[in-house]
Amino acid sequence: MTSEYLPAVDTGAVAELAALARVVSRQRAELDRLRESVATSAVVERAKGALMATTGCSPDAAHEALVRRAETGNRTLLEECWLTLGALMPSPPAAEVPAAEPLAPAVARETPAGPGTAEILGRLGKALLHVGSPQELAVTLLEQLAPRVDADAVLLYRRLPGDGLELVGHAGLDATLAVQWHQVPPLRGIAPLEALKAGEPLWLEHFAEDRQLYQLIDEPPGRWLSRAWLPVSAEVALGVLRRPAAAFRPADRELLQSVARLSAGRLSALGAPAEPVSSDLSTAVQSVLDALPGATVLLIPLRTAAGEVEDYRIEAATPGAVDILGRAGRELIGSHILESYPSVAGESLWQGYLKALSGGEPYEGEPFVYEEIVAGVTVTATYSVRAARLGEGLLVTWLRHDTEERQEQRLAELQRLGNLGWANWNLVTRQIHWSSQVYTILGRDPGRGAVPLDLLPDLVLPEDAQALARAVSELARTGRSFDVPFRIRTGNAVRHLRAVAEAVSTADGTVVEVHGFVQDLTAQRSAELALVDSERAILVQRGVLDAERALAARLQHALLPLPSNPVRLHGLRVEVAYLPAQAGVHVGGDWFSAIELPDEAALFVVGDVAGHGVDAVATMAQLRFTAKGMVSTGSSLTGALARLNFLLLHSRDAQSTATLVLARYDPAARRLAWAQAGHPPPLLVRGGKAYRLERPAGMLLGASADPVYESAEFQLQPGDRLLLYTDGLVERPGEDIDAGLDRLAAAALAAGPSSLDALLTAMLAGERRDDVCVLDIRVPEEDEE
């Protein structure tokens, strides 16, 4: 019996993950033990050398003396070694302490030479003797490290299953911040977690860069400008937070790594559970299990310091017991149950073990599915677990059950999930077998019995009966299988079904048996029909929109004829561009006018009606012709805007709004007067610089019944270039309008005296989401006139 446990209930999946997490945790602990052993050996050798130098003893005698002192003082060997080094080795003189390299001239600092590393570790080793919890450890570390490395806060994080973190000790951290950072989810950029995963210290000495890479504990912002995270063990990380923005000196780094190793010994001493001792019972039970078939193991509970069972150790096993790692029989002895059989972490199994262990009554769990490898092939089987107390342990047996019941259960589940049922017709004996799901799908009372194959078409709608009858006849005559859709009526509803069947024939081709299935496809067919109706409605709507767009486009082309070449108006060179939007199916309401007035002046207008489609084009035409008419008959620019605003407010579509810029050019004085209603400001290019004209007051048309409109004027000079445009030229999704105006100024300067096309190419890279209309007005140089 091997491979993975497949739980029968949802809680088993969670429990299996928990079991695997415990296995990983145990392996990490073993790796941590090996690392600690390597780190400890160097410290032990130094302490032995110190004793040999002061007492003249041999290496073995020095080691025995250290062990004896540790046992007498109830300390670990590592703690005793650091105490010995602290007592025997003087602090190095200040000149021998290496200075830190400054992080930057602005944060360089002077650090007075403090006690030596050995002296600090010696004092810390003595202080650790009085530490009884991780919280006390954090406080002690801050007291010892603050003078030497400028530590302002110390944190201890414990790694949780799933790579979350729990704050188990802290000092220098206020209570509110400690609560906020008590539980840390498994996110990216968590520095203590990264240090634990890498197994190496993480030195964060560049605050501005580190805050971009990691989620830093920083309240108030900028309080701790440098910090270090060091793995104490595979599960615990030590954090040292400092105010100065300076790098850790090499001597400080060495000290902190030594402190982490010293803390690891104390932390392991605080929470190490005791291992049970094997008894003669294990030997006696193993001799019996060696002769038994099947899978049986003897488990001895492993308890925490509080007496709770946290795991079991395998003390004896039958040859047929195999764990997920492939170990069998006596190879399992000494391993832990959560390593060998993670399935026992399932809620029912674990609680059953505890109940049998404490109450004495045997426990027998519900059947579950297990996978086993037989001749290299994965086979699933059904088992149940039985556990009975034996002495201080548990005798656990896996019992295999007959698989026929399980296969029937699987077949029933398959029919239910697939909404189908199987059927079998023996054409020789006339025996018919239907599953219960076939009666449900066909809406037939099981008491009436199954229907012969040749009468099956009688159950379907008349329109589908002929096709099914033809397929059944062909199958019975030639053995040709079929897959036929059909409909039946059950009550007031019609069901869409599917019948699939194939024949079993003799050697001469005679059909003797037919088997197949019936499947209910009503939900799928209903969805398909709904999709067809939706697609049809979309096509109709698309046609309406295309027709509206074509009509609006024809109207727009009729109302806004575009000149193919630049035109001359009273000495000005005027170029016009209109580009429709590339996105959407509607035509917009952007428009322009550039005409000569009766008084030898010129009128320039650029407007933008809100919305799209025929309504927007109609409003555009109304505003365009009204503006031209009013200014041509002597209305001022501001007066024309006020009347246009009144017109929009009292139009058929009172919700319409529009923006507009009007400009009147006097060629005799070369002065341009202009007014605007909520429109982007004109851009003036003069003498190699671009100026965004300051807009006079003016609210967009149709927004207020009592707006105020003002005008402004300035004198044009030879070589000037003036751009009037709609917002489609400068707006981009997610971009501020000022950024778009700045882009236009830069593009106009870069384009120089080139045509308007070069400017548009630079401004309109990518898809256009709105119409664009531009009037490019240029004053020729004096030698060009």
Side-chain angles (χ1 to χ4, degrees):
M1 184 168 57
T2 181
S3 190
E4 295 292 333
Y5 168 69
L6 305 177
V9 295
D10 293 342
T11 55
V14 178
E16 182 178 357
L17 291 176
L20 293 176
R22 292 192 182 191
V23 173
V24 173
S25 176
R26 192 177 302 280
Q27 299 301 330
R28 285 175 175 165
E30 177 64 17
L31 179 60
D32 177 55
R33 186 190 66 78
L34 294 174
R35 286 175 175 167
E36 181 180 349
S37 175
V38 173
T40 301
S41 61
V43 179
V44 171
E45 292 301 320
R46 289 175 59 190
K48 285 167 56 178
L51 277 183
M52 292 167 58
T54 55
T55 64
C57 63
S58 65
D60 292 339
H63 185 271
E64 292 176 1
L66 290 172
V67 173
R68 186 168 56 253
R69 290 181 185 179
E71 293 176 350
T72 302
N74 193 25
R75 296 184 288 269
T76 66
L77 179 59
L78 182 61
E79 291 172 344
E80 186 62 40
C81 289
W82 284 122
L83 286 174
T84 301
L85 290 172
L88 297 179
M89 297 178 64
S91 305
E96 296 180 7
V97 180
E101 290 294 331
L103 184 62
V107 295
R109 62 187 178 91
E110 296 293 334
T111 302
T117 299
E119 181 179 349
I120 293 176
L121 294 176
R123 290 205 304 257
L124 179 59
K126 294 178 182 179
L128 290 181
L129 299 177
H130 306 286
V131 168
S133 67
Q135 176 61 29
E136 294 179 6
L137 175 60
V139 173
T140 300
L141 292 178
L142 181 59
E143 292 174 351
Q144 299 295 327
L145 294 176
R148 170 64 182 269
V149 299
D150 290 336
D152 190 60
V154 168
L155 295 86
L156 288 170
Y157 268 110
R158 180 170 64 89
R159 189 177 190 174
L160 301 175
D163 283 343
L165 293 176
E166 178 185 20
L167 185 63
V168 296
H170 63 89
L173 209 65
D174 62 72
T176 302
L177 198 57
V179 171
Q180 293 175 351
W181 288 86
H182 179 71
Q183 294 282 351
V184 180
L187 303 174
R188 288 186 178 181
I190 302 299
L193 183 59
E194 296 295 331
L196 287 174
K197 289 182 176 180
E200 297 178 352
L202 186 60
W203 309 98
L204 304 182
E205 301 163 325
H206 304 275
F207 181 73
E209 299 175 7
D210 295 335
R211 70 188 307 177
Q212 302 297 324
L213 301 176
Y214 299 99
Q215 301 285 339
L216 300 181
I217 302 175
D218 191 30
E219 185 66 34
R223 177 179 177 182
W224 295 298
L225 300 181
S226 60
R227 60 196 73 200
W229 288 99
L230 304 98
V232 175
S233 65
E235 305 299 327
V236 179
L238 166 65
V240 178
L241 280 58
R242 309 191 309 173
R243 292 180 183 271
F248 288 87
R249 301 180 306 167
D252 292 344
R253 292 192 178 196
E254 180 182 358
L255 171 62
L256 291 178
Q257 290 176 296
S258 300
V259 167
R261 289 193 291 268
L262 186 58
S263 301
R266 192 57 189 164
L267 282 175
S268 62
L270 289 176
E275 289 280 341
V277 179
S278 300
S279 64
D280 295 337
L281 175 64
S282 303
T283 304
V285 171
Q286 182 61 57
S287 63
V288 176
L289 295 185
D290 285 338
L292 292 180
T296 302
V297 293
L298 175 64
L299 306 180
I300 300 298
L302 305 178
R303 301 181 183 273
T304 63
E308 297 180 354
V309 177
E310 66 171 2
D311 204 344
Y312 295 87
R313 189 175 67 194
I314 300 177
E315 290 291 300
T318 59
V322 182
D323 70 356
I324 62 172
L325 301 178
R327 296 176 296 186
R330 290 177 175 264
E331 294 177 341
L332 295 171
I333 296 176
S335 62
H336 292 183
I337 191 67
L338 291 181
E339 298 173 0
S340 301
Y341 302 99
S343 60
V344 303
E347 184 67 21
S348 58
L349 282 172
W350 189 262
Q351 295 301 325
Y353 279 14
L354 294 178
K355 187 179 298 184
L357 188 63
S358 60
E361 291 293 329
Y363 161 78
E364 186 165 348
E366 294 295 328
F368 60 87
V369 178
Y370 218 95
E371 289 184 351
E372 57 183 348
I373 306 299
V374 179
V377 179
T378 302
V379 179
T380 59
T382 303
Y383 290 86
S384 63
V385 175
R386 188 177 189 277
R389 181 166 180 170
L390 182 61
E392 296 299 322
L394 284 176
L395 194 63
V396 179
T397 303
W398 278 264
L399 304 173
R400 179 166 181 167
H401 298 274
D402 190 0
T403 60
E404 181 178 352
E405 180 182 350
R406 178 60 180 167
Q407 294 297 335
E408 292 180 358
Q409 180 183 357
R410 285 182 175 177
L411 181 58
E413 292 174 351
L414 176 63
Q415 293 183 88
R416 177 180 58 82
L417 294 174
N419 206 4
L420 53 83
W422 60 267
N424 180 271
W425 291 270
N426 190 312
L427 304 185
V428 177
T429 65
R430 310 298 295 178
Q431 289 181 326
I432 306 173
H433 298 283
W434 281 5
S435 70
S436 59
Q437 191 73 5
V438 174
Y439 291 97
T440 301
I441 293 174
L442 295 177
R444 184 176 178 83
D445 183 0
R448 299 175 59 186
V451 175
L453 182 62
D454 56 343
L455 298 182
L456 190 62
D458 295 343
L459 302 179
V460 309
L461 293 181
E463 306 92 282
D464 300 334
Q466 184 176 0
L468 181 59
R470 185 166 51 250
V472 169
S473 175
E474 186 74 12
L475 173 68
R477 185 169 53 87
T478 65
R480 182 178 180 180
S481 60
F482 67 76
D483 184 343
V484 178
F486 61 91
R487 293 166 295 168
I488 65 171
R489 183 176 298 277
T490 57
N492 296 326
V494 174
R495 290 185 181 178
H496 295 265
L497 307 182
R498 170 196 182 200
V500 178
E502 64 179 9
V504 177
S505 304
T506 60
D508 60 0
T510 302
V511 177
V512 295
E513 187 175 354
V514 173
H515 55 258
F517 66 86
V518 179
Q519 187 175 17
D520 189 347
L521 301 177
T522 303
Q524 176 182 341
R525 184 57 178 163
S526 298
E528 292 173 352
L529 294 176
L531 180 60
V532 170
D533 291 340
S534 177
E535 291 177 345
R536 185 180 296 112
I538 291 174
L539 290 176
V540 172
Q541 182 64 21
R542 182 76 184 193
V544 173
L545 293 177
D546 288 342
E548 180 180 337
R549 177 179 175 84
L551 174 60
R554 287 197 298 271
L555 287 174
Q556 191 177 55
H557 290 315
L559 296 172
L560 290 177
L562 288 175
S564 57
N565 297 307
V567 298
R568 291 276 183 171
L569 284 179
H570 292 304
L572 300 178
R573 181 182 182 274
V574 182
E575 192 171 357
V576 182
Y578 177 82
L579 301 174
Q582 294 175 326
V585 298
H586 292 300
V587 176
D590 291 19
W591 57 279
F592 69 92
S593 285
I595 62 172
E596 293 182 350
L597 296 176
D599 58 356
E600 301 301 325
L603 174 66
F604 302 104
V605 188
V606 170
D608 185 1
V609 176
H612 294 81
V614 176
D615 291 340
V617 174
T619 303
M620 175 268 290
Q622 187 180 34
L623 293 178
R624 182 173 187 264
F625 290 115
T626 303
K628 290 168 57 177
M630 286 190 295
V631 178
S632 298
T633 56
S635 294
S636 66
L637 299 181
T638 56
L641 289 177
R643 289 178 175 84
L644 291 174
N645 179 73
F646 181 85
L647 180 65
L648 269 189
L649 287 175
H650 296 82
S651 64
R652 178 176 56 86
D653 184 5
Q655 303 299 320
S656 294
T657 59
T659 66
L660 190 68
V661 58
L662 289 168
R664 178 188 179 95
Y665 176 64
D666 181 1
R670 280 188 175 173
R671 297 195 65 82
L672 185 82
W674 68 288
Q676 61 85 33
H679 202 81
L683 182 73
L684 175 65
V685 181
R686 173 181 291 173
K689 296 183 179 180
Y691 304 91
R692 191 189 310 170
L693 298 185
E694 184 176 351
R695 297 191 305 172
M699 184 179 297
L700 77 163
L701 303 178
S704 172
D706 191 22
V708 175
Y709 295 106
E710 297 179 355
S711 64
E713 63 179 46
F714 63 97
Q715 189 167 17
L716 291 175
Q717 300 177 6
D720 283 355
R721 182 179 190 180
L722 184 68
L723 294 175
L724 307 181
Y725 52 90
T726 56
D727 55 7
L729 181 64
V730 293
E731 287 186 344
R732 285 184 180 177
E735 183 182 67
D736 185 76
I737 185 64
D738 287 334
L741 295 174
D742 291 341
R743 283 191 297 103
L744 176 60
L749 292 175
S754 59
S755 67
L756 181 58
D757 291 340
L759 175 64
L760 296 177
T761 301
M763 287 295 296
L764 300 177
E767 183 182 65
R768 293 189 302 277
R769 297 177 178 269
D770 198 2
D771 294 358
V772 175
C773 183
V774 183
L775 276 181
D776 184 5
I777 304 169
R778 305 193 192 194
V779 182
E781 298 284 356
E782 293 183 354
D783 56 355
E784 296 178 2
E785 296 181 354

